[in-house]
Amino acid sequence: MMNKDEAVQKLATAGRLSIANAEDLYDSFFPKPVVPQYVADWYEEHKDDFEIKLFQCICEAVENYDKDLANDFENWLMSEELEVIQTLVNMHQFGYEVEEEKRYRISMPKARNRKNHAQILCKEGDKTFWCGEWYRFKTKFTCKELEDADLGWVFNCEGIEIEEVE
């Protein structure tokens, strides 16, 4: 079986196309799966021995799976909703893209500073804090970033406004 690079070369030669046009044509026939970051991380760690590692992972998950103790990848692998094996195989054959995580701006609109600015959750370096003069700081966070900073509670707190941002 031909890999992607070989197929692109063959398309370019047979169709008298540039490599870029042949890659675009190939990608239109075989769209890349879009996966969460934790799936891409697992794949990158195991792609050199993909078939063996996938088989081992499935066997271990079937024997020892506990939803409460499993990591995100194991839960994804064992989910009934997704065609996970096909997705992993397609990643191996055609490449993949990582889905963009939603980002949020978190504010306390009723807590105002002396200039009457709402308090916005900010980050600078390794410090996360509330600030009314937020324009100089990072103010967009993924769910994982908030959870890692022990701030997952903001999603369930009255008085906190959460805005999905680009």
Side-chain angles (χ1 to χ4, degrees):
M1 181 178 208
M2 206 179 312
N3 69 24
K4 178 182 178 176
D5 292 335
E6 294 167 340
V8 166
Q9 286 291 338
K10 196 165 199 165
L11 273 172
T13 302
R16 297 184 182 150
L17 302 169
S18 69
I19 294 296
N21 285 339
E23 284 176 343
D24 290 344
L25 184 59
Y26 182 90
D27 288 342
S28 72
F29 291 135
F30 306 105
K32 295 176 183 175
V34 179
V35 297
Q37 183 64 54
Y38 55 85
V39 174
D41 292 344
W42 182 91
Y43 176 75
E44 287 300 319
E45 186 177 330
H46 299 94
K47 68 183 177 185
D48 293 334
D49 296 319
F50 174 72
E51 294 85 0
I52 292 167
K53 296 296 185 181
L54 179 58
F55 180 75
Q56 288 172 339
C57 187
I58 291 169
C59 289
E60 289 172 14
V62 168
E63 288 178 14
N64 305 316
Y65 182 67
D66 180 342
K67 183 176 178 131
D68 295 328
L69 300 176
N71 63 35
D72 288 338
F73 177 77
E74 291 165 344
N75 283 327
W76 179 82
L77 183 66
M78 297 303 290
S79 67
E80 295 177 13
E81 302 166 22
L82 304 170
E83 297 175 344
V84 294
I85 305 301
Q86 187 65 51
T87 299
L88 288 164
V89 170
N90 287 348
M91 288 172 68
H92 195 62
Q93 289 182 315
F94 309 125
Y96 63 92
E97 294 178 11
V98 177
E99 68 187 18
E100 289 287 321
E101 286 188 71
K102 291 180 183 177
R103 296 194 176 276
Y104 304 95
R105 180 168 289 131
I106 313 298
S107 67
M108 289 191 292
K110 292 183 180 177
R112 303 241 171 219
N113 70 1
R114 66 186 184 288
K115 293 182 180 178
N116 203 28
H117 296 153
Q119 298 295 298
I120 305 287
L121 189 64
C122 299
K123 182 169 184 161
E124 182 176 49
D126 61 349
K127 296 191 186 317
T128 303
F129 51 93
W130 296 96
C131 183
E133 305 288 325
W134 53 269
Y135 53 89
R136 301 184 310 242
F137 306 112
K138 174 185 173 181
T139 61
K140 299 175 185 177
F141 301 90
T142 65
C143 283
K144 177 142 179 51
E145 289 172 328
L146 291 167
E147 288 168 5
D148 289 348
D150 292 327
L151 292 165
W153 57 266
V154 298
F155 289 103
N156 300 314
C157 185
E158 285 187 37
I160 300 287
E161 285 188 7
I162 299 170
E163 174 188 5
E164 190 172 321
V165 291
E166 291 295 317

